[in-house]
Amino acid sequence: MTQYVYRFGGGVSDGGKGDKNLLGGKGANLDGMASIGLPVPPGFTISTPMCAVYYDQGGIFPDSVKSEVANGIAHIEAITGKKFGDAGDPLLVSVRSGARASMPGMMDTVLNLGLNDTTVVGLAAISGDARFAWDSYRRFIQMYSDVVLELDHGRFEEALEIAKEDRGYSLDTELSAKDWQALVAEYKALVQELWGKPFPQDVHDQLWGAIGAVFGSWQSERAKVYRRLNDIPGDWGTAVNVQAMVFGNMGDTSATGVAFTRDPSTGENAYYGEFLINAQGEDVVAGIRTPQYLTRAAREKAGARPASMEEAMPEVYAQLAAVFETLEKHYRDMQDIEFTVERGKLWMLQTRSGKRTAKAALKIAVDMASEGLITRDEAILRVDPAALDQLLHPTLDPNAPRDVLTKGLPASPGAASGIAVFDSDTAEKRAGAGEAVILIRVETSPEDIHGMHAAKGILTARGGMTSHAAVVARGMGRPCVSGAGTLAINAREKLFRVGAREVREGDLVTIDGATGEVMLGAVPTVQPELAGDFGTLMEWADAKRRLKVRTNAETPLDCRTARDFGAEGIGLCRTEHMFFEPSRVTAVREMILAADEAGRRAALDKLLPEQRSDFAEIFEVMAGLPCTIRLLDPPLHEFLPHEEAEFAEVAAAAGLDVETLKRRAAELHEFNPMLGHRGCRLGVTYPEIYEMQARAIFEAAVAVAEKSGEAPIPEVMIPLVATAKELQLMKAVVDKAAEAVFAETGRRIDYLVGTMIELPRAALRAGEIAEVGAFFSFGTNDLTQTTLGVSRDDAAKFLTTYVEKGIYAKDPFVSLDVEGVGELIAIAAERGRETRPDIKLGICGEHGGDPASIAFCEETRLDYVSASPYRVPIARLAAAQAALRRG
């Protein structure tokens, strides 16, 4: 019989051996903490395979699992000495999710389960604290009604706020036992009204309802969005952890908190966290109350008055600090910890590898390698390449004027400007229309995940630095300012006020997640400094990677940026972008609309010096490095005039009448131009175009070689080749132009002629194409289009649905379709090498900056990847990781 339940605590461990795939991350680490002697409340984990069974059987649990769960409850009872449902000394449990990958706040939790009208009286008597007992019961009803019964959470919150207002209270902690008892009665009446039945009193019904709800939350909309954003497979499922409750809300000797063994924002080796006296865990994470600092140093740095845990509970804090040391050494990574203090006794409720910013990830990895806790190879593997994107973009100019409205907590670093929006649906809609938005909420909840992802930054009025907004924002790399308590937000009217000042939806605001400042208007930015830990880790990565990393660039600025980021040449220079310059487009149109070769050559003569100048500027930046120049590729229709004034301008320049030009434009019209007269087909039809471009390339290369003494290495790439004959004809044009320039200048330089493989036929006939071409550059954007028969410009309308339904694991234009497009690349590489063993192979589509696609390139033993300038460091690190994993 399959085992689904694994017990932990009290010296018992049913196996699993910390297997996250089986027990989920939370269950594996609870078992791990218990096994090394840390104070963990006893419990059991229902494993992740049960999640699939739950869905397959329509939410019905097998009898064998019910029996295993009963044994798990008996295990907790034996260790705690309490009985589940007992009127005198009741056992209460928490029911929590725990997938193998951390998904903070995305799935459901139920606390204080086991309370009913009878057990609450017993809890009050045994604890000697009626206020605590009735507070716990109202919390349970409120949470169970939301999570399991799916009743309107707002109605319960409203009842609580009215109860406080009626009594003149501002804090929950001011309510007495009688107040809570009265609110419990109100809550039960609300359940009867909204659900049509009384609140469940049978503790076993409560337990199975909660277990089902936690498994059910795996398929909640917010969980699916989070998985999609973080590439977590939907078939992994979640585990469910049932654990004895310990209470942080038993008075001033009790507390609850969230802590990190190092600062998750900066990576500094200093304890970082928050706690609340007389509270339960959701009070800290949900941001319902503003928590206190963990350490005295952090409190003093923030200028806060309430005592830190180090000051208020020195003995327990010392125990907690010792646990931090133990956990970090055991797991060899920065840990994110939840803990509770019950009447002076410390209990550990969770540990996991903490989510961190890119800056913190770099520092922690480098520091831990320097401390000898991990190796350099492990340090390289610890940093998510995609997270580097957070570091590579500008931050606020410290010298720029700032109109500071207020200041909150610096919850997630970075800075962003955008229009103020007050709900997640609006954030997603306006961001989809191309606007930069700042999502402003009183506090975020897991339902805001789509809006947080769409926003450039997040601002909340409530919550601390370990609140939902802060944790999710750091994981996403979004700047976040939380706990800006002076903000008076009116979500209904879509505005907030700070004192006498008012900001409405659509107004421009800026937030600085490093300082906590909230500003009116946009603030200028400065480029980042990429030295220190970044430079150290990239140096280690470069020593391990085999793949070269180039850049896709066609301007001197892009080239300089890419070189600063470590690019080793250009993998794709798109020459058509140069043709769109306003000063040149008339000559380009004149060339396209010319009726004969003489007319085309007259227009090309005007373009030659411009092209030569473009290439010279690029070659000066890239002197000594290979530069792959793609000859003109796009359909001619993209250059054609559309407005009457444009036709008149071209006609005047060409010395022709407007009607003749319009007739010529009509002749050039194509119904499917992306599969029409473009790429090498232009060169075959009008070889003088490629001849001009080749001459410009070689004249510029020779001039730069003479000036700098260091010649660039042009790699002339012929686009959209389907046959070897096409490449042969175009190579002859390029070679003829090169020889003419070398003869005129008396200087030769090395160069290559190759092709972009972007058609399935070219991949399949790569062996004969390699007889002509010295290199292949896989244009994975078009190769994906032509292989899948999907237009990348229109695919967004349905590809999200395809990914959600599991047709594709990821958007194939973002991450390479390894099974289809990847197989064509592998075939082309193999056949190309058979013909020409020294052929140079690389990719230059957008996939060149995607870590998963780079791993495929390493497996296929390509020579280089090429990425946009800001993704060059991502590609360098991903290439090193791919090499290390390949071994």
Side-chain angles (χ1 to χ4, degrees):
M1 186 186 299
T2 304
Q3 179 180 354
Y4 289 110
V5 174
Y6 295 81
R7 300 172 299 169
F8 58 83
V12 175
S13 176
D14 281 341
K17 302 185 187 304
D19 181 359
K20 291 186 178 182
N21 295 351
L22 179 70
L23 303 177
K26 187 172 292 182
N29 289 343
L30 285 168
D31 184 71
M33 285 195 293
S35 69
I36 59 174
L38 297 183
V40 175
F44 59 88
T45 299
I46 308 173
S47 63
T48 57
M50 186 63 228
C51 190
V53 173
Y54 174 81
Y55 282 104
D56 288 345
Q57 298 195 3
I60 305 298
F61 292 97
D63 289 340
S64 64
V65 171
K66 292 183 178 180
S67 175
E68 285 188 81
V69 167
N71 289 336
I73 291 290
H75 162 67
I76 301 174
E77 290 174 333
I79 293 168
T80 61
K82 300 175 184 292
K83 291 287 183 184
F84 193 46
D86 182 64
D89 190 6
L91 168 68
L92 305 187
V93 297
S94 63
V95 182
R96 302 176 182 226
S97 62
R100 68 171 85 171
S102 175
M103 295 173 58
M106 293 303 114
M107 289 180 294
D108 288 330
T109 292
V110 178
L111 304 179
N112 305 307
L113 190 143
L115 281 172
N116 57 28
D117 293 350
T118 305
T119 57
V120 69
V121 177
L123 181 64
I126 199 76
S127 67
D129 188 345
R131 185 199 172 283
F132 148 72
W134 286 98
D135 175 27
S136 298
Y137 193 18
R138 74 90 191 170
R139 288 171 182 269
F140 172 54
I141 295 173
Q142 188 170 348
M143 190 175 274
Y144 196 90
S145 298
D146 177 27
V147 169
V148 182
L149 306 183
E150 298 182 340
L151 305 181
D152 181 0
H153 181 69
R155 293 287 299 277
F156 294 86
E157 280 292 318
E158 185 180 7
L160 172 57
E161 291 304 314
I162 290 171
K164 287 193 291 188
E165 283 178 20
D166 288 348
R167 293 161 178 81
Y169 299 150
S170 58
L171 297 175
D172 297 359
T173 49
E174 296 175 277
L175 289 154
S176 67
K178 285 188 177 180
D179 295 332
W180 287 130
Q181 193 169 358
L183 191 62
V184 163
E186 282 190 57
Y187 276 9
K188 287 165 61 183
L190 266 176
V191 172
Q192 181 71 54
E193 175 195 337
L194 298 173
W195 195 40
K197 290 185 280 188
F199 186 80
Q201 294 291 307
D202 185 297
V203 295
H204 296 284
D205 288 347
Q206 293 174 359
L207 177 63
W208 285 103
I211 291 171
V214 173
F215 276 134
S217 68
W218 177 252
Q219 292 294 359
S220 69
E221 197 56 39
R222 64 178 186 255
K224 288 193 282 191
V225 170
Y226 189 91
R227 287 200 298 274
R228 187 172 72 246
L229 298 179
N230 292 277
D231 296 327
I232 298 171
D235 59 5
W236 277 4
T238 183
V240 173
N241 301 287
V242 179
Q243 193 173 15
M245 280 293 300
V246 288
F247 301 97
N249 58 330
M250 294 186 77
D252 290 345
T253 60
S254 301
T256 188
V258 176
F260 295 81
T261 55
R262 304 190 187 213
D263 189 319
S265 291
T266 66
E268 182 186 358
N269 192 358
Y271 302 145
Y272 176 102
E274 299 168 319
F275 86 116
L276 274 172
I277 292 173
N278 195 19
Q280 285 199 344
E282 75 267 25
D283 297 343
V284 177
V285 177
I288 294 166
R289 284 166 57 193
T290 300
Q292 295 151 244
Y293 287 91
L294 199 66
T295 67
R296 177 178 176 175
R299 179 187 68 77
E300 290 176 345
K301 183 178 178 182
R305 286 185 178 179
S308 67
M309 185 179 182
E310 185 178 10
E311 295 161 306
M313 297 179 161
E315 291 181 8
V316 180
Y317 173 80
Q319 294 173 35
L320 185 63
V323 168
F324 288 173
E325 296 292 324
T326 300
L327 286 174
E328 197 167 272
K329 285 177 182 173
H330 180 73
Y331 288 106
R332 299 166 62 248
D333 196 6
M334 182 264 275
Q335 294 297 291
D336 170 1
I337 293 158
E338 290 181 22
F339 65 89
T340 285
V341 181
E342 181 181 290
R343 291 180 169 173
K345 179 170 174 54
L346 176 67
W347 292 98
M348 304 307 298
L349 303 183
Q350 174 173 294
T351 191
R352 60 188 173 195
S353 291
K355 291 194 178 298
R356 62 207 77 177
T357 63
K359 181 180 179 181
L362 282 169
K363 181 166 178 56
I364 290 168
V366 171
D367 283 356
M368 285 188 168
S370 302
E371 292 162 18
L373 200 58
I374 59 176
T375 65
R376 286 186 177 184
D377 287 0
E378 287 175 306
I380 293 167
L381 292 166
R382 284 279 174 92
V383 178
D384 176 8
L388 292 181
D389 206 31
Q390 296 175 36
L391 295 177
L392 305 178
H393 293 281
T395 53
L396 294 186
D397 182 349
N399 300 316
R402 302 182 180 204
D403 182 1
V404 178
L405 293 169
T406 187
K407 192 170 182 181
L409 298 171
S412 182
S417 297
I419 58 168
V421 298
F422 294 86
D423 67 89
S424 289
D425 291 343
T426 301
E428 187 174 53
K429 182 179 178 181
R430 296 191 71 160
E435 294 180 281
V437 303
I438 303 296
L439 177 63
I440 302 169
R441 306 282 283 152
V442 173
E443 61 195 22
T444 61
S445 72
E447 279 71 24
D448 287 311
I449 183 72
H450 62 296
M452 297 174 76
H453 182 256
K456 296 294 184 186
I458 299 141
L459 170 62
T460 68
R462 294 209 301 232
M465 293 188 292
T466 53
S467 64
H468 174 267
V471 171
V472 174
R474 281 197 296 269
M476 286 183 170
R478 299 291 188 278
C480 176
V481 174
S482 64
T486 60
L487 289 186
I489 297 174
N490 188 325
R492 189 174 299 167
E493 292 186 24
K494 299 192 173 185
L495 60 83
F496 74 76
R497 295 184 180 92
V498 182
R501 306 187 73 181
E502 185 177 275
V503 173
R504 292 187 166 272
E505 182 167 285
D507 290 347
L508 198 59
V509 294
T510 297
I511 62 169
D512 189 339
T515 66
E517 288 180 327
V518 181
M519 294 146 276
L520 188 63
V523 178
T525 57
V526 293
Q527 294 297 319
E529 288 286 330
L530 299 175
D533 297 319
F534 178 89
T536 299
L537 191 79
M538 297 311 287
E539 186 180 320
W540 295 350
D542 289 342
K544 293 294 179 180
R545 66 181 167 89
R546 183 196 61 82
L547 280 165
K548 296 288 186 184
V549 176
R550 299 191 192 182
T551 188
N552 302 337
E554 46 268 350
T555 68
L557 176 59
D558 282 348
C559 292
R560 278 192 293 272
T561 301
R563 283 213 73 169
D564 289 344
F565 286 151
E568 297 162 307
I570 293 177
L572 175 62
C573 175
R574 303 173 177 92
T575 55
E576 61 272 9
H577 289 190
M578 303 166 178
F579 282 25
F580 281 108
E581 289 284 330
S583 61
R584 308 175 192 183
V585 73
T586 298
V588 175
R589 288 167 170 171
E590 191 182 329
M591 179 266 294
I592 292 168
L593 296 168
D596 54 27
E597 182 179 338
R600 285 190 294 276
R601 286 193 178 276
L604 289 167
D605 285 344
K606 298 176 186 177
L607 290 169
L608 174 61
E610 303 271 16
Q611 280 268 277
R612 183 171 58 234
S613 173
D614 290 331
F615 294 134
E617 288 181 330
I618 289 170
F619 291 155
E620 283 172 6
V621 179
M622 290 290 177
L625 296 176
C627 298
T628 304
I629 312 291
R630 183 178 72 186
L631 301 186
L632 193 63
D633 179 49
L636 293 181
H637 85 103
E638 291 189 10
F639 296 102
L640 294 178
H642 301 287
E643 305 295 331
E644 199 69 34
E646 292 175 334
F647 273 108
E649 185 180 354
V650 176
L656 298 170
D657 64 272
V658 171
E659 287 309 311
T660 301
L661 286 183
K662 285 184 176 179
R663 233 180 2 261
R664 177 73 178 133
E667 291 167 7
L668 291 169
H669 172 75
E670 293 182 289
F671 289 104
N672 194 350
M674 289 307 292
L675 295 178
H677 196 191
R678 55 168 284 215
C680 67
R681 299 159 191 170
L682 285 173
V684 170
T685 314
Y686 308 127
E688 55 273 13
I689 297 175
Y690 280 9
E691 178 189 320
M692 180 277 289
Q693 288 194 290
R695 174 169 277 277
I697 289 169
F698 293 116
E699 286 180 352
V702 167
V704 169
E706 289 180 351
K707 180 180 175 182
S708 68
E710 199 173 12
I713 307 164
E715 297 179 349
V716 182
M717 182 159 71
I718 312 299
L720 212 73
V721 160
T723 69
K725 184 66 175 176
E726 287 170 314
L727 182 57
Q728 191 176 34
L729 289 170
M730 294 301 95
K731 183 176 184 299
V733 171
V734 173
D735 287 342
K736 182 180 177 183
E739 289 303 322
V741 171
F742 298 159
E744 292 164 14
T745 60
R747 181 168 188 143
R748 303 186 70 85
I749 58 167
D750 293 329
Y751 72 95
L752 301 175
V753 178
T755 187
M756 182 178 266
I757 302 289
E758 49 197 323
L759 297 174
R761 189 186 195 283
L764 295 172
R765 305 306 298 169
E768 56 195 49
I769 291 173
E771 291 175 2
V772 185
F775 68 87
F776 291 165
S777 180
F778 293 97
T780 53
N781 298 345
D782 270 356
L783 187 57
T784 298
Q785 281 198 120
T786 55
T787 300
L788 301 184
V790 171
S791 164
R792 63 177 163 161
D793 297 318
D794 302 313
K797 296 171 187 173
F798 61 85
L799 274 182
T800 300
T801 305
Y802 265 50
V803 172
E804 286 174 353
K805 292 183 180 296
I807 298 171
Y808 295 125
K810 297 178 186 175
D811 181 335
F813 291 104
V814 174
S815 196
L816 198 66
D817 165 36
V818 170
E819 293 176 350
V821 178
E823 186 165 353
L824 283 172
I825 292 173
I827 288 169
E830 180 184 352
R831 293 180 181 176
R833 287 189 185 113
E834 283 175 3
T835 299
R836 188 187 293 262
D838 63 344
I839 193 168
K840 188 181 288 189
L841 303 172
I843 71 166
C844 62
E846 289 302 309
H847 300 95
D850 169 58
S853 304
I854 290 167
F856 168 80
C857 294
E858 173 65 29
E859 287 294 322
T860 316
R861 309 303 278 175
L862 301 189
D863 297 302
Y864 68 87
V865 297
S866 188
S868 59
Y870 279 100
R871 296 191 73 81
V872 165
I874 295 171
R876 288 165 64 194
L877 182 56
Q881 292 181 347
L884 287 170
R885 291 187 176 116
R886 194 171 192 273

